[in-house]
Amino acid sequence: MPPEFARSLSDSHCGRQAASQFAKARSQPSFCLPPRLSRGLSAVGALPPQVRQFVEQSAATCRPDKVHVCDGSAEENRRLLELLQQQGTAQPLPKYSNCWLARTDPADVARVEGRTFVCTPRMRDAVPAGGAASGQLGNWMSPEDMRAAVSQRLPGCMAGRTMYVIPFSMGPLGSPLAKIGVELTDSPYVACSMRVMTHVSAAVLEALASGEQFVRCLHSVGRPAQPRASARRGWPCDPERTIILHKPDSNEIVSYGSGYGGNSLLGKKCLALRLGSCMARREGWLAEHMLILGITTPAGRKRYVAAAFPSACGKTNLAMMQPSLPGYKVECVGDDIAWMRFDEQGRLRAINPERGFFGVAPGTSSSTNPNAMRTIFSNTLFTNVAATSDGGVFWEGLESELPEGVAVTDWLGQPWERGSGRPAAHPNSRFCTPAEQCPIIDPVWQAPEGVPIDAILFGGRRPEGVPLVYEALSWRHGVFVGAAMRSEATAAAEHKGKVIMHDPFAMRPFFGYNFGQYLAHWCSMERRGGSKMPKIFHVNWFRKDSQGRFLWPGYGENCRVLDWVLRRVEGEDIALGSAVGLLPKPGSLRLDGLRETPDLQQLFSLPKSFWAQEVEDIGRYFEQQVGEDLPGEISEELQALRQRIAQM
Ligand code: OXD
Ligand code: MN
């Protein structure tokens, strides 16, 4: 139990009762660890004292029947999967090797942004002056309200279940860029998924043995006050009272009520991005919602690029791209999160703090992402995809890969027919798969020192007005470009339909502190990196013509844009000034070998009325959402863009 909450709960009647029950329970067999797991460091009694205290206090409140300290072994994983099968949470997929399909409660299928809070004494530390306590750039809660929310939900929430203690490292253990967390959860599904997504092992506990601190992550699928009529066997949750709380001051996360993805795999969005961004600010680095890829040119020069795209913009596809241009090679370091820090020579270096991919399944196929397809058919936990009668999986996008005569069962467990008008897989269904299985995983993806970043891409789904690629005029202009990012909304969160939303740095749901201060932190990076700062670009693969057809083929052809980006990094004179940034000079974007020549005129056009409207929208957004916390540098960049557009 995080110290703050432990104090408030042990002051309450139920906390006292829980504490004494737990004290009794400790001497009773019900608290014993499963025999194989009770040896050595795996036993609660042998945990480093600060971890043991967290476990004991949390167990006193949540009152699980048992506590199991995870060692991350294959044998432990096998037993957890068997348990998931017995509980009706997951079923094996005999068509593949050690793959499983879990189906969630239909009320628990995505991140719940509206119920996700950053808890700080002052509202202004969490959300900018312009916004409300619950606004577009995050939700704030006071520590008192957090304590109340916790004490209304946690006491007894794990009764009848096992609490799994998951020691994990985000980033290779021992890397100066890595961070350690301990997640306590009553979900064996979460325990299995955390083993894929993070480094789980007893060695993590050994690393804590000399008393270091760690991020305290407490998760429960919850226990509704009244049994839910529509509850699904095998997927307990409490959707009405779901809440996800982050306390940056003490590095604590409490998540209650949901077993799904970013709500429950607390190393990912909660630690690596929300608390990560706060740690990064304190310690002078960047925690970002970015993929990292390595790209080798035909001349044999290797460079690394980090890219921020909002959810469901093809981030995983780009991270694993199969380049169409001969001689190019792309290798994947990560598909979702980058932690970036300056090394002693002033170069920005990045690690992928994760160990697996939690990718959106629909749309993934041999034509869109052949490397993902070569990754995911062993040791993978699929969630909410459709099942096939030959023991495999199916989702929208795999129609041409579905064998003849095979029947499909949809994500709700109902028979499904093509043309039924219902999706077979949930749009936010996922594969959770080990990164090391990716055939193009970068040879140094686990290097403790990280990889040097030469370019940063921002992007989004912009059907209109935004060119295929442009380069920022300076670091500061690049920060403005990141702040002004907009994209069609995603299925990864609870939003419905397609609306163009502001999603600065693709971090809108993931800021751990005031976005105005975040921008100031980004601007300040230039002072650390000086002339070695990566160049910043904006890309848009999704521009459409007046008939609604994409103007750019995308996927493997995006390496043509990366080619231009890398040549700019090398200093080639292939860019031309424009009102929004530097555009490719005519003839500099390689189009050789494309089946159809794209309409470059339309792809790169900058309609004045569109940009005049865009700049006004961005200005209004900054005014309303960031207010006086907007750094002067960013208002100046906005003003400069306004002027350049007026002169177009
Ligand atoms: C994700 C997301 O799940 O960004 O990665 O929503
Ligand atoms: Mn993401």
Side-chain angles (χ1 to χ4, degrees):
M1 190 70 206
E4 286 267 346
F5 317 134
R7 207 175 320 118
S8 76
L9 285 169
S10 58
D11 286 350
S12 70
H13 169 69
C14 104
R16 274 198 304 277
Q17 208 181 23
S20 72
Q21 277 178 3
F22 180 68
K24 261 192 257 147
R26 280 184 57 197
S27 58
Q28 289 171 6
S30 64
F31 184 64
C32 285
L33 298 167
R36 208 195 53 77
L37 291 156
S38 58
R39 290 193 302 266
L41 271 180
S42 298
V44 171
L47 290 171
Q50 73 283 31
V51 181
R52 178 175 173 169
Q53 188 192 35
F54 175 47
V55 173
E56 290 182 350
Q57 289 178 335
S58 304
T61 300
C62 302
R63 304 201 287 277
D65 282 11
K66 289 188 191 138
V67 176
H68 174 135
V69 180
C70 294
D71 60 9
S73 63
E75 167 60 11
E76 176 183 85
N77 189 48
R78 193 187 59 72
R79 287 165 54 164
L80 288 171
L81 287 164
E82 264 170 34
L83 179 66
L84 287 177
Q85 188 173 6
Q86 277 160 26
Q87 291 178 343
T89 313
Q91 65 187 65
L93 292 163
K95 186 167 174 183
Y96 318 120
S97 157
N98 188 30
C99 288
W100 295 74
L101 166 59
R103 290 200 187 102
T104 73
D105 186 303
D108 188 17
V109 290
R111 286 187 288 99
V112 282
E113 292 174 8
R115 293 161 180 267
T116 299
F117 295 87
V118 172
C119 306
T120 51
R122 290 179 317 166
M123 177 170 137
R124 191 86 174 260
D125 290 334
V127 291
S134 278
Q136 293 186 25
L137 291 165
N139 305 314
W140 170 76
M141 189 184 273
S142 71
E144 295 72 45
D145 287 350
M146 176 175 180
R147 275 197 286 273
V150 165
S151 58
Q152 283 154 16
R153 290 168 174 82
L154 259 50
C157 66
M158 294 188 184
R161 303 193 191 116
T162 297
M163 173 195 273
Y164 298 93
V165 179
I166 308 171
F168 66 97
S169 172
M170 297 307 291
L173 190 60
S175 159
L177 289 93
K179 297 280 176 200
I180 290 182
V182 175
E183 177 160 348
L184 311 182
T185 177
D186 53 1
S187 161
Y189 165 88
V190 168
C192 289
S193 309
M194 283 293 286
R195 177 175 180 269
V196 176
M197 296 305 297
T198 72
H199 303 258
V200 176
S201 77
V204 175
L205 294 174
E206 275 157 32
L208 291 174
S210 48
E212 292 94 303
Q213 282 314 309
F214 59 93
V215 179
R216 289 166 163 71
C217 309
L218 177 52
H219 168 254
S220 171
V221 291
R223 179 168 295 279
Q226 306 290 325
R228 295 173 55 247
S230 59
R232 202 186 86 73
R233 183 176 100 82
W235 195 273
C237 56
D238 189 357
E240 273 79 46
R241 298 195 303 156
T242 293
I243 200 157
I244 295 138
L245 305 162
H246 307 72
K247 199 152 181 291
D249 290 354
S250 47
N251 277 339
E252 295 168 38
I253 302 162
V254 178
S255 165
Y256 171 92
S258 163
Y260 201 73
N263 300 332
S264 67
L265 313 181
L266 300 186
K268 194 173 180 62
K269 306 299 184 181
C270 298
L271 193 163
L273 290 178
R274 297 196 191 92
L275 291 189
S277 61
C278 299
M279 294 188 247
R281 179 174 175 233
R282 284 197 295 266
E283 298 167 11
W285 50 281
L286 297 167
E288 300 301 326
H289 190 203
M290 290 182 179
L291 65 88
I292 309 165
L293 61 82
I295 175 156
T296 310
T297 64
R301 177 85 164 94
K302 177 132 190 208
R303 300 244 184 213
Y304 288 93
V305 174
F309 298 97
S311 310
C313 274
K315 240 167 113 188
T316 304
N317 294 349
L318 182 63
M320 298 183 194
M321 185 219 272
Q322 198 150 286
S324 63
L325 280 179
Y328 268 96
K329 180 159 95 180
V330 165
E331 285 161 305
C332 175
V333 176
D335 79 329
D336 199 37
I337 299 176
W339 282 357
M340 301 188 283
R341 203 185 270 261
F342 289 100
D343 65 14
E344 276 163 14
Q345 286 72 46
R347 289 203 76 179
L348 196 59
R349 290 190 160 266
I351 60 163
N352 166 14
E354 301 192 280
R355 197 179 163 217
F357 306 123
F358 186 69
V360 176
T364 307
S365 70
S366 300
S367 62
T368 62
N369 193 338
N371 289 317
M373 294 296 279
R374 286 183 207 115
T375 306
I376 60 181
F377 295 117
S378 50
N379 309 312
T380 298
L381 186 47
F382 294 92
T383 304
N384 286 345
V385 301
T388 56
S389 53
D390 61 348
V393 290
F394 175 74
W395 50 73
E396 280 55 40
L398 286 185
E399 292 77 1
S400 63
E401 298 178 45
L402 186 64
E404 277 298 307
V406 156
V408 175
T409 303
D410 73 10
W411 70 280
L412 293 161
Q414 304 300 320
W416 181 88
E417 296 289 340
R418 273 178 211 232
S420 65
R422 291 181 290 118
H426 187 277
N428 191 34
S429 53
R430 300 283 178 146
F431 50 80
C432 178
T433 196
E436 68 191 5
Q437 293 181 183
C438 178
I440 58 153
I441 199 71
D442 195 274
V444 297
W445 79 286
Q446 292 280 271
E449 69 280 11
V451 297
I453 298 296
D454 288 307
I456 293 178
L457 312 186
F458 293 124
R461 276 183 183 264
R462 297 305 306 266
E464 273 181 74
V466 179
L468 177 64
V469 58
Y470 63 92
E471 180 184 330
L473 303 170
S474 62
W475 177 259
R476 212 175 80 159
H477 178 234
V479 178
F480 167 81
V481 170
M485 273 169 66
R486 303 175 76 186
S487 188
E488 272 183 352
T490 159
E494 74 265 56
H495 308 290
K496 300 275 177 319
K498 291 193 171 181
V499 272
I500 304 279
M501 287 175 59
H502 289 271
D503 193 350
F505 291 78
M507 282 284 283
R508 183 189 49 75
F510 308 124
F511 291 115
Y513 65 97
N514 181 322
F515 170 56
Q517 295 163 5
Y518 169 96
L519 288 175
H521 179 56
W522 261 80
C523 288
S524 76
M525 285 291 134
E526 199 177 7
R527 288 196 288 277
R528 291 167 201 265
S531 61
K532 299 212 178 92
M533 295 307 283
K535 278 183 179 292
I536 297 180
F537 300 81
H538 188 281
V539 298
N540 174 29
W541 322 131
F542 302 99
R543 193 161 181 179
K544 291 182 174 167
D545 66 13
S546 54
Q547 316 291 304
R549 287 178 304 230
F550 288 111
L551 286 162
W552 178 250
Y555 303 109
E557 305 297 358
N558 292 337
C559 83
R560 297 168 188 276
V561 173
L562 294 183
D563 163 76
W564 187 80
V565 162
L566 295 188
R567 284 157 57 209
R568 285 297 299 149
V569 169
E570 298 287 353
E572 266 191 59
D573 179 15
I574 49 171
L576 206 59
S578 84
V580 301
L582 304 175
L583 296 174
K585 274 191 178 168
S588 65
L589 185 69
R590 280 189 60 184
L591 300 176
D592 47 304
L594 266 181
R595 261 192 293 163
E596 254 176 72
T597 310
D599 182 341
L600 295 184
Q601 190 64 30
Q602 282 198 64
L603 255 180
F604 286 99
S605 71
L606 299 174
K608 182 165 178 166
S609 57
F610 171 90
W611 278 95
Q613 185 59 50
E614 183 76 0
V615 89
E616 286 326 305
D617 290 350
I618 296 166
R620 193 167 337 100
Y621 178 72
F622 286 169
E623 209 172 289
Q624 290 173 355
Q625 298 297 324
V626 199
E628 63 192 54
D629 283 325
L630 191 73
E633 293 101 311
I634 302 299
S635 339
E636 284 165 23
E637 289 296 335
L638 175 69
Q639 191 47 24
L641 176 63
R642 187 176 278 124
Q643 273 166 10
R644 292 195 301 267
I645 289 180
Q647 286 158 12
M648 260 163 82

